[in-house]
Every structure is written in structure tokens, then in C-alpha cells.
Amino acid sequence: MNDSNEENRNNKDKDKEPKSHFWIPDNEVDTVDYYPTSRPQPRDIDHYEHGTALAKGIEQIKNLHSKIKTPISDKLVIFKVELDENDTVDARGDYEKLFLQNNLRINSIKKSNTAIVSTTPSELEKLNEKLEKYTGKSGKSHNFFQYIKSISAYTPDEKLSDSLMNSDQFQDVQITLVPNLDESVYEKMIDYISNSITSNNGELLDNIILQNNTPVIRALVPSSGLKLLSDQEIILGIGRTPFFGTEIEGGGPTEIDLNDVKVEFLRDPRELPIVCILDDGVIFPQSLQDCIAGRYRSEDLVFASAAYHGTRVASRAIFGDDIDVQIRNKRLVPKVRIIDAAISDGIHPIDETTLIKRIRHAVDSIKEQAQIFCLAMNQQTPLSGETISNLAFELDSLTKKYEEYNIQFVIPTGNHKLWSAHSSLDHIIDDDSSRMATPSEAFYGLTVGSISRDEHPDSFSGKNELSPFSRIGYGFAGSAKPDLVYPGGNVYMKEKKGYISANSAAYVINNQGKLCQDFGTSFSAPLAAQELALLTEAIPDKDLKIAKALLLHHAQTPHIDNYNESQDSRELHSKLYGKGIGNYLNAKDSYRSRATYIRKGKMSRLSKQRVRFYMPSTIAEYSNRKTSVVKVSVTCICFPPIDQSMGYEYLRAYVDTSLHKINSNNTMITDNPGGKEGRYTWHHIHHFNRFISSFNPGDWQIWLQLYTKPEMLNDAEIEYVLILSIEDLTANDIDVHGGISVETESRFEILSEVQIEDNNYNDDDF
């Protein structure tokens, strides 16, 4: 599908009268009982040889455990259990029983097949006795051992991050204790470890309890102390303390005063939606003061907030990407208001523990006044490791914790400087250092990359192409990140100097009240925050989850023709652009030739759902052609629990989404992309398009099935939002929307007339 044709068609549709989306009510959904079965296949192994190897592992664990005495040594043993490479520790069925029936608590999953477990010394002896019977009876007794590849100690080398190895100086480190232990254990061991740190010339700096109750201790530790700490069974990992800061990348020569620029609110400013800017403060001239809905300042900030970065981010959220055009026209039109939440002084980097605490307090104070929180801070290094970062986990956990307030974090992918060293955009993309930076991997955050809004002859990036500095996906555990892209500037090198492309700079208002040039994904994220706020306002009951799903669903895919040769190339497009360029106006309405259905529901594990939507005859009569007649797009977002301690198994449930159409023989058949493209297992967002040439009208279906991890009860319900659209690809101006309205006789309600749910949003002034 040609990009320019698709863009022209979208613009053409917008010239016509917008129409309301359709709502899929409960009576258009059938439930089907599901009776799952799971039975691992027996392994072809030498049971005696296998059992003997496992016994050596248990003996190693016992020997190491006896050498180090701590306040919990007599009550707890912590070690590692590894399954075969293709097995998953927390799968349902016999794998689940393997741990439960042997009183082995899964405390953490390092890889999908490797668990850190805990038990009592007496239970470890019982396990050893079972192993002796397994070995002596050729696997005919306690045959669950056949699924265990190895049992071994969790060694010190596995706990130290690579950056700390062979260190000969003091290090600012974060010490994470093994998760999912009793509070009494933590109380004893935090004191014990703290004393060990100080007695070995270390210094305690801070500590925090993560949302899953896991303690993290921050300390300054000499290299000799690192070895002593990593010997402790209860320590899961030790790594360098991450630091975060606001970063201003540019600042071109053009500065324009706002003295003679009129600020024009198109309605009462108190009625505008609100975006919270979590940054280093906002300083606006007097003419822009009505754009600020409230102010918050972290109590532990020692220095005054510089407002270098936050002011620029806030100006993009309020006025959008065309702020330069507005100022040159002497007329600024605010789209949203902001809450200035100063959580940084803008000068000193913030360690992760302090930043988490400040975000917690800010969100708790502001959550009733603002749903959308723009956090334009990233670590300077790309993602790595086997667990999601503490900060990303915190953002996800706060989103779940305050679900009744419907909050959403908007986060940039982060910036790199590879554009100054490489010769092409392709070379940058191929460099592993271009991968996105924490906390952009947050699953429930809206992660935003940057594109250039215009061409420049000296830049790697053309119009709507990835900006040379923008980090790319995927996210943690292969999650589909980024989510969207928005303009964030363009740069180029000339005679070994870096320049901002003036025609596609990220124009901002600085803390001196002047228009200036900048670049960075920090200035893409506020555009997404603004559009999400505007779209949320247009949804009944201001349902942010539906607004987010619509914004993702109707994102416009730039340069997709260059990436359509194979699944691999389309996946590369997703790594660069996510779902595409966010477009509030494109997402807000249906049109004559493009109708959108929406459903928000809940489902549990043992009940599949068959969701009906109608394909009208107005478009179906053009079926059986050689070229595609209709585009059917599907997006399903679900909101399951998450658990950092489970490593790559972070997501604890997902909804599988499948399209079923009526073919030209009037038979219902499955029509999904090949290779699970756009609908991967254990991804909480499924998003795909189907271009269809041959079909019949009638009730098509989306099949939904919930998959969950063992700790989730069968009757536990997971919420989801389903968006699907039908779009005319012919040149015949077909009335798809009208066909649905007439032929279904109002079976599908008009969204504007639907009450979605009770809303807890508080409109009081901050």
C-alpha cells in the first residue's frame, strides 16, 4: 500500500463529515467454555546418570550453605533450579507441581527455564531422599526429576553485573535481595547486610522497597566488599546504581521573543485537559501563566529547579509541534494545560532510588487532577539484562496500583550520539548501542520515539523518517516498543560539527520566555501526551484506556512500502516506528469509508470470547478482485498483572487475538498474519492489519482467549480494550459506515451515546 495514497485518502476522509465510532455491546459476544490440558512429554534420558548429576548439585548447595552463617541459615536455603532450554519454569501443569509439591518457592526467574528457589534445610533433605529413590529405581519413582536439567548453587559471579567485575575501587551499587521472601526474613537480613557493609569500610546511602516488596539497598562499597556481599545466598544481584537526568541536546541560534505574541484560549482554560510534566520545573512568562493548572515540588529537592528542560517539554505539550508557526503568526493557541511537577533540579543526576521515591510522592499527590504523566528522563545507556529495570517496573506498578484513576505515563525512547560517528541511518540502526534506554521499556508506559518533520539535504533522515538520534526497540523481553513516534527534531554533521536542521527542529519555549531550537525524544513524548489528553477528552467518561488503544490503532505507518518485503522487514519497521505516527484527528472519528468498532470488556481463563462485528454488503459487493478491496485492522490491549521477580516472564497473562472472516464460499475461516506477526504470545498488545480481496458480508468475528500464569486463579478477570476497523481500499467512495448502520439496524451502538463505566476522575483544581 503506497504511503502517499494512504495519506491522501486519510486527508480526503477528513474533509468529509466525521462520524461516531461503533460500540460492540455485551450481547454481540458469545462465550465458549475452555477445558485446558497440559502434559509434558517423558524425557529420553539415563535416569541413573541424570540422578547422580543432580545429587552432586545438591551436595554442592549443602556444602556452601554450611560455610556461611547468617540469621536465616537454619531456616532457609536458596539455590538454582534449571529446566531444559525449551521449558518454562512457571508454566502450568506438571512444571507447576514440580515446585509446589516439593515445597520449593519460586522466588525469581533468571531466564524462562531457570529459577532461583528457596526452601528449608529439612525440605532440601527430603528432596535429596526423593532423588535417591529416583536414581535407584531408574526414574520409576518421583519422575518429576526428569524435567530438571540441573540443581546448583547460585554463585557469586552470577550476581555481580559485568561492569563491576575486576573493579579495584569504591562503587556506588544497588544490592537487590531475593524477592518473594517473608518480611521477617528481610528485617533480619537487611540489618545483617547493612552491618556487613559498614564493617567492611562501605557506606549505606539509601534503600527502597519495590512494589513487589523486594528490598533494594544502595551503598558505596569497596571492591573487596563486593565479593563478601555476593557470597550471601539472599542477594539476587549487585549492579551499578543507575542515574537519570534531564538533558538538553541543542539550542540553535534562533531566538524569538514572545512579547508581541497573543495567547488565545479557544475556551475557558479551566476546561482544557491536563498533562503533568514530571521534570525540572517550568518557568513561563506572565502571558503563559494560565497554561499552568498547578505546581508541585519534591520536598527533598535541595536546590531550586533550573527549569531548563521542563519548560521546553511543557511548551511542546501545551502548543504542539507547530509552535514556531504559531509564534511567527503572533498567535499561540494552548491545546492543554500542564501541572508543573518539579522532581529534579535540572543540574544534578538523580539516582534510581531517589527518582522512584519522588515519582511515587508526586503521582500520589496529583493523581486526582491529572491522568497523564510525561516523564522525559532516560538513562544514558541502552537496555540490557535479564530483568526489567526498577524504574520501569515502578511505572508499571503505579499504573496498576492507581488503575481506578486511569493514569498513564508517557516516556521517550531516549537519545544517542551515534549520528555523529556513523555514515548512514542504516548503520546507526545496526549498532546495538541504538537500543532504547530505561525507563522506556515500561510495558504500560506509552513509549515515544522521534521522527523528522521535514527533509534536509545534509541529514540522514528525510521527512517522517526516524530522527538520527532516536533510540529504537525492541523493549525488555522482546516487547513491541516503541509504541508511537512524533516529530522531535533533526540533526546533521558538516565539517565535523553538529547542526540542528532548522526546518525540522523541535521548536520550544525556553525558561527565558523565548522560542528556540532543540532536538530529542524528550520533545516527541509531550506531543503524544497532548494528543492522548485530547483524545481522552473526546471519549465517553474520559476513558484513557480506550483513547490509548485508538491512538495506537489509527497511527499512520511512515514509509511502510520500504519495509513490506517480508515479515523480518516489517518487524524492523516496528522496531523503528512502533505502530506509527500518532494522529489524534485520525483516531478521533470514523468516516464514510472507514468505520471503527470499539469494545471494552473482561475475561477469565476458562471462557473464550467470540466478538461479532459486521462486514457490510456495501463493500463486500466489490469482492473477488485481484487487488485488495478492504483493510481490516485489529488492536487488542489487555492489562494483566506484572512481576519484576519473574524476569522474562514479567507479564503474567495475555489475551490472544484472532480474526475470523466469511470467505467467498460463505464459510467462516481464520485470517491472521503468518508467523504470529502482530500477535505474539505473551505480548499484551496485539496489533495487525489484513488486506482482503475475496470475502462475503455478514457477522465476522474476533476470537479472544486468555492465557495466564499459575498464580492467577481460573476465575480471575483481565480487562481488555478491542479496536477494529474496516476501511475501503477501492477508489469508489464506498459508504462502509452507512452500510453498517443500515444493515445491522442499530445492533452496534454509537460510541457517543454509550456510558462505558463509572469514572473516578476529579475535576477539582489542583
Side-chain angles (χ1 to χ4, degrees), residues 76-117:
L76 210 60
V77 185
I78 300 170
F79 54 96
K80 185 171 68 174
V81 175
E82 183 180 359
L83 308 183
D84 281 340
E85 198 169 289
N86 295 324
D87 294 336
T88 303
V89 164
D90 60 349
R92 288 184 177 271
D94 285 358
Y95 298 120
E96 177 186 4
K97 296 173 186 175
L98 185 159
F99 295 95
L100 286 176
Q101 293 180 356
N102 292 289
N103 293 313
L104 300 178
R105 177 187 287 187
I106 299 175
N107 297 93
S108 178
I109 296 179
K110 297 296 290 180
K111 295 180 180 178
S112 295
N113 67 323
T114 305
I116 306 302
V117 303

Side-chain angles (χ1 to χ4, degrees), residues 23-32 598-603 607-613 700-704 720 722 747-748:
W23 179 260
I24 302 177
D26 290 344
N27 57 15
E28 295 296 335
V29 180
D30 296 325
T31 59
V32 179
I598 300 172
R599 172 166 176 77
K600 186 176 184 182
K602 295 180 179 180
M603 63 185 308
S607 294
K608 301 179 184 181
Q609 293 188 4
R610 307 285 188 258
V611 181
R612 289 188 292 274
F613 69 101
W700 292 25
Q701 295 182 1
I702 299 294
W703 289 13
L704 304 177
Y720 68 85
L722 174 66
R747 282 170 48 199
F748 301 97

Side-chain angles (χ1 to χ4, degrees), residues 230-379:
S230 60
D231 281 336
Q232 298 295 328
E233 287 180 24
I234 199 172
I235 290 180
L236 181 72
I238 306 174
R240 289 185 188 273
T241 298
F243 285 84
F244 301 82
T246 55
E247 184 177 8
I248 295 176
E249 296 288 354
T254 302
E255 287 195 351
I256 301 175
D257 287 318
L258 307 185
N259 298 335
D260 57 348
V261 177
K262 179 182 178 182
V263 179
E264 182 178 341
F265 288 91
L266 300 183
R267 53 178 165 151
D268 188 327
R270 291 170 296 183
E271 296 177 358
L272 293 180
I274 296 173
V275 172
C276 177
I277 307 297
L278 295 165
D279 217 287
D280 69 350
V282 176
I283 296 177
F284 277 156
Q286 187 60 41
S287 61
L288 299 184
Q289 289 304 305
D290 283 343
C291 297
I292 301 177
R295 293 189 187 273
Y296 169 92
R297 176 184 169 87
S298 293
E299 293 180 356
D300 63 334
L301 279 178
V302 176
F303 299 93
S305 297
Y308 293 131
H309 190 262
T311 302
R312 298 175 184 224
V313 171
S315 68
R316 299 277 288 179
I318 295 167
F319 300 110
D321 183 49
D322 64 342
I323 189 171
D324 55 324
V325 177
Q326 294 180 54
I327 287 176
R328 289 189 174 92
N329 290 336
K330 309 297 184 183
R331 179 174 176 263
L332 279 169
V333 180
K335 312 288 194 308
V336 303
R337 289 198 300 164
I338 60 102
I339 290 176
D340 165 23
I343 61 171
S344 165
D345 60 21
I347 300 171
H348 302 93
I350 314 171
D351 68 273
E352 185 176 58
T353 298
T354 299
L355 183 56
I356 287 175
K357 290 178 178 179
R358 289 178 181 174
I359 292 172
R360 282 181 183 176
H361 293 150
V363 172
D364 190 55
S365 299
I366 299 167
K367 64 184 183 299
E368 294 185 358
Q369 285 72 42
Q371 294 175 281
I372 299 168
F373 294 82
C374 185
L375 177 67
M377 297 184 190
N378 294 89
Q379 205 174 348

Side-chain angles (χ1 to χ4, degrees), residues 85 157 225 337 351 393 437 472 525 556 609 667 677 681 697 759:
E85 198 169 289
D157 287 348
R337 289 198 300 164
D351 68 273
F393 174 54
I472 66 173
Q556 296 170 304
Q609 293 188 4
T667 301
E677 183 180 351
T681 59
N759 197 289

